[in-house]
Amino acid sequence: MRIDKFLNAVNITKRRAISEDMCKSGVVAVNGAAVKPAKELKIGDVITISFLDRKQSFKVLAFPSAKNTPKSEQAKYVQEL
């Protein structure tokens, strides 16, 4: 699954356009390397998002089958590190 779609599907970002822009500006990294929006994720990858004042990391546990998932089910797909 593409990283921009994944970030949107598991409610890390509100819209896919936001996750695309974040990837294009170099804010999102997978396993320590900056990525483009079309980067294909694998289970076990570590996603790091660099905000102005902090960094947030997530480990991919599974891929959602639906386009959007409820915020309450986010823990099934990502683990915050």
Side-chain angles (χ1 to χ4, degrees):
M1 177 177 254
R2 290 171 52 125
I3 187 159
D4 58 343
K5 289 183 179 182
F6 181 78
L7 292 174
N8 183 43
V10 297
N11 294 311
I12 294 174
T13 60
K14 291 188 183 265
R15 291 190 310 264
R16 183 171 162 214
I18 293 172
S19 56
E20 274 186 48
D21 290 342
M22 290 172 69
C23 291
K24 288 178 183 176
S25 63
V27 174
V28 179
V30 174
N31 300 328
V35 294
K36 294 181 179 179
K39 167 72 174 163
E40 289 291 324
L41 289 175
K42 296 177 289 212
I43 293 175
D45 283 344
V46 176
I47 302 168
T48 305
I49 302 174
S50 302
F51 297 101
L52 293 175
D53 56 345
R54 63 187 165 89
K55 287 188 178 190
Q56 196 170 16
S57 296
F58 301 94
K59 183 175 183 178
V60 178
L61 302 176
F63 296 116
S65 58
K67 187 174 179 180
N68 290 334
T69 58
K71 187 93 169 171
S72 61
E73 294 185 12
Q74 185 179 27
K76 293 180 183 179
Y77 305 109
V78 292
Q79 173 187 13
E80 192 167 350
L81 303 175

